[in-house]
Amino acid sequence: MVFGLSSLRSAPCLPTALLAIIAALGCAPMAARAADLESVLAGQTNMTTFRELVKDHPDIFTKLPSGITIAAPNDNAFDKLGNFDEWRDNKTHVEAVLKYHVMPKVVSMPSIIKGDSIWAPTLLTDPAFSPIKGGQRLILTKQPGGEVVFTSGFANRGTVLVEDIEWDKGLVQVIDSVMRIPENLESTARNAYHDMTAFLGALYAADLYDELILPAKDITIFAPTNAAFQKLASTFSTLPKAQLRSILRYHIIPGEVSQIWEFKNASSLATAEKNQSIHILRHTNFIFANSAQMLQTDILIANGAVHLIDNVLNPKSNITRPDVEATSQKPVFTVAGTQTGTGTAVPTPFTEHLPCTVSCPVTEVASRTETTGGPTRTVQQGGVGPTSTNGGVGGARCTGMVGVGMGAVMGVGAWIGL
Ligand SMILES: *[C@@H]1O[C@H](CO)[C@@H](O)[C@H](O)[C@H]1NC(C)=O
Ligand SMILES: *[C@@H]1O[C@H](CO)[C@@H](O)[C@H](O)[C@H]1NC(C)=O
Ligand SMILES: *[C@@H]1O[C@H](CO)[C@@H](O)[C@H](O)[C@H]1NC(C)=O
Ligand SMILES: *[C@@H]1O[C@H](CO)[C@@H](O)[C@H](O)[C@H]1NC(C)=O
Ligand SMILES: *[C@@H]1O[C@H](CO)[C@@H](O)[C@H](O)[C@H]1NC(C)=O
């Protein structure tokens, strides 16, 4: 699918015939004010670090063709990294990060329409960092107040402080954060979007993570929130693995990276589950995949995009449509027994299948003291309790999963209809 700058609806300057008049109004042709990158950066305050990086990496910055936009983090942005000296020592990493700040297009901030989000491919096309067609992307969103925010991996965002500084190859946009290269689904779920750890755990339980997600090039994923899985905990605890695989494959659109505005009303998306597609429905500001509502969209991962939805999709219920007047949609599975509660005090299904990491000591059991609402009590979290016995889907890989899967904490990003 094409992701690009197609929603840029106007160019910064008008055709030649009008230039004479316009020049007087301050929209001169670019060449008139062009200068090389170093002198343009030198003209800005607090750009010392980026200027040094430009000087240290001539291989990236001296051979650029015309028609380039550079997102240039200011000094404070690099200070925020905390470990700059260490960061700078890793040449491979620094080069990749710098390429991620260079867009091979002239992207003018005033030309972005309020409320619009555009995806801008960057020069980061190295397959090690960019298992995706056309290079790793940044998302540019114009806020209601008019400022432009750049979004990168891990929901890392930077606001444009100085817009459209002209140089001889294009434009520089000064931003207040260093953009973070999108990482794989697992890393993104563990570190930034804790609300998809049940989905990640389920992919592991079904042996689909290594098979289908990790090696994919270009993928769109509809990830149900932890609450969506909690509501169905009893149903999923006895589900045969083959059925779980089928359900999860139904959440994956292979071969395409689709950002939210590309989903047309009443369109169908072919999923990784053979012969099964998902129906898209738009209603006012809401977007539904079958009857599941998009909660958060356009989350960047290394090989694609993730959209968070409020219910687990069911391939056996592939013609379900939402009740657009309702505030929430019903699960499309039969709930076995009483519906389990949601929230941080309730175990998160499937998180016990997540492989252990250093932050996941095998013997430790997560606990947290809850201080709100009545007497203080200690609750257990994450993969403990009755729902962790996923009889049908293989043994636990990590019985003491700590630190993930209990978040109602959502990262920032594009919110739909909330
Ligand atoms: C430059 O950075 C200093 C120190 O962080 C800050 O006090 C000053 O306001 C900054 N200047 C501009 C123009 O951003
Ligand atoms: C340097 O960065 C690369 C890419 O991010 C990473 O794979 C590698 O582990 C880093 N090397 C060190 C020594 O930290
Ligand atoms: C299902 O998909 C396969 C290819 O994956 C195709 O050959 C077959 O015709 C499809 N069946 C139906 C009923 O659409
Ligand atoms: C829904 O599922 C049925 C039965 O598997 C299949 O024949 C049909 O093509 C599916 N419809 C869609 C829209 O995927
Ligand atoms: C989307 O399509 C459905 C059914 O085709 C239609 O009822 C609805 O009005 C459409 N929504 C929008 C926003 O156009």
Side-chain angles (χ1 to χ4, degrees):
M1 216 168 250
V2 182
F3 42 83
L5 308 175
S6 48
S7 62
L8 276 182
R9 284 169 197 143
S10 59
C13 290
L14 295 165
T16 331
L18 288 171
L19 281 178
I21 310 159
I22 304 285
L25 301 169
C27 182
M30 230 168 240
R33 276 193 246 148
D36 67 273
L37 187 56
E38 163 54 21
S39 36
V40 161
L41 292 173
Q44 299 292 319
T45 44
N46 294 344
M47 296 300 290
T48 316
T49 309
F50 191 68
R51 282 169 66 193
E52 280 168 15
L53 289 167
V54 169
K55 196 157 57 133
D56 291 350
H57 296 275
D59 40 333
I60 298 176
F61 291 100
T62 56
K63 292 180 226 140
L64 292 172
S66 278
I68 293 286
T69 302
I70 294 179
N74 66 6
D75 290 344
N76 187 39
F78 288 102
D79 290 346
K80 283 196 289 187
L81 288 178
N83 57 344
F84 180 72
D85 291 334
E86 234 174 87
W87 181 88
R88 175 180 243 179
D89 285 346
N90 189 336
K91 190 163 182 279
T92 316
H93 186 67
V94 171
E95 280 178 359
V97 172
L98 291 174
K99 285 181 187 166
Y100 188 48
H101 285 71
V102 183
M103 292 157 268
K105 278 260 164 66
V106 175
V107 190
S108 162
M109 299 300 100
S111 70
I112 305 174
I113 291 167
K114 271 185 199 172
D116 248 16
S117 251
I118 62 171
W119 287 19
T122 67
L123 291 192
L124 185 57
T125 52
D126 175 344
F129 294 95
S130 187
I132 194 164
K133 265 194 298 262
Q136 215 43 275
R137 308 121 299 151
L138 290 163
I139 300 178
L140 282 58
T141 309
K142 183 161 277 186
Q143 306 289 91
E147 70 275 22
V148 178
V149 170
F150 282 49
T151 306
S152 58
F154 282 20
N156 192 343
R157 289 149 66 99
T159 302
V160 177
L161 300 177
V162 188
E163 287 189 358
D164 283 16
I165 307 166
E166 290 171 9
W167 64 296
D168 52 16
K169 303 282 176 63
L171 298 172
V172 171
Q173 318 291 348
V174 175
I175 53 173
D176 66 359
S177 282
V178 179
M179 296 290 94
R180 180 149 186 164
I181 300 169
E183 294 185 18
N184 64 41
L185 179 72
E186 174 160 0
S187 173
T188 303
R190 283 185 189 270
N191 295 297
Y193 290 92
H194 301 156
D195 211 8
M196 48 196 200
T197 44
F199 178 66
L200 180 67
L203 288 166
Y204 270 109
D207 290 329
L208 282 175
Y209 188 75
D210 292 343
E211 178 186 318
L212 193 59
I213 305 289
L214 211 49
K217 194 172 151 72
D218 298 336
I219 191 168
T220 298
I221 297 171
F222 293 101
T225 58
N226 288 352
F229 282 100
Q230 284 173 325
K231 285 188 276 187
L232 298 167
S234 56
T235 309
F236 280 130
S237 66
T238 56
L239 203 66
K241 184 169 167 182
Q243 221 175 316
L244 181 64
R245 284 172 63 87
S246 154
I247 290 164
L248 294 172
R249 291 168 63 90
Y250 189 51
H251 289 73
I252 292 154
I253 317 295
E256 281 187 16
V257 181
S258 299
Q259 68 185 103
I260 202 68
W261 63 262
E262 290 180 307
F263 292 139
K264 301 225 161 38
N265 188 35
S267 60
S268 285
L269 306 171
T271 70
E273 177 64 0
K274 213 165 123 193
N275 300 111
Q276 293 286 346
S277 57
I278 293 171
H279 180 264
I280 295 294
L281 182 96
R282 286 178 173 268
H283 175 75
T284 62
N285 285 331
F286 299 95
I287 306 177
F288 299 90
N290 293 346
S291 65
Q293 189 187 321
M294 311 273 165
L295 295 179
Q296 197 168 5
T297 60
D298 293 351
I299 296 166
L300 295 175
I301 57 170
N303 54 353
V306 181
H307 308 292
L308 272 180
I309 53 176
D310 71 347
N311 268 308
V312 182
L313 302 171
N314 188 351
K316 292 197 169 143
S317 183
N318 65 11
I319 52 163
T320 315
R321 301 287 177 264
D323 172 0
V324 292
E325 303 305 328
T327 50
S328 65
Q329 307 297 322
K330 286 198 203 68
V332 288
F333 290 86
T334 310
V335 178
T338 325
Q339 184 171 310
T340 322
T342 60
T344 54
V346 178
T348 305
F350 295 118
T351 47
E352 71 277 12
H353 293 276
L354 291 170
C356 286
T357 65
V358 277
S359 62
C360 175
V362 183
T363 51
E364 210 174 301
V365 168
S367 72
R368 174 175 70 89
T369 303
E370 208 161 73
T371 47
T372 49
T376 301
R377 65 201 162 91
T378 299
V379 291
Q380 293 198 319
Q381 303 176 313
V384 289
T387 56
S388 69
T389 47
N390 289 287
V393 289
R397 294 171 68 160
C398 174
T399 47
M401 191 62 210
V402 173
V404 289
M406 51 206 73
V409 187
M410 303 264 255
V412 284
W415 289 85
I416 297 286
L418 287 182

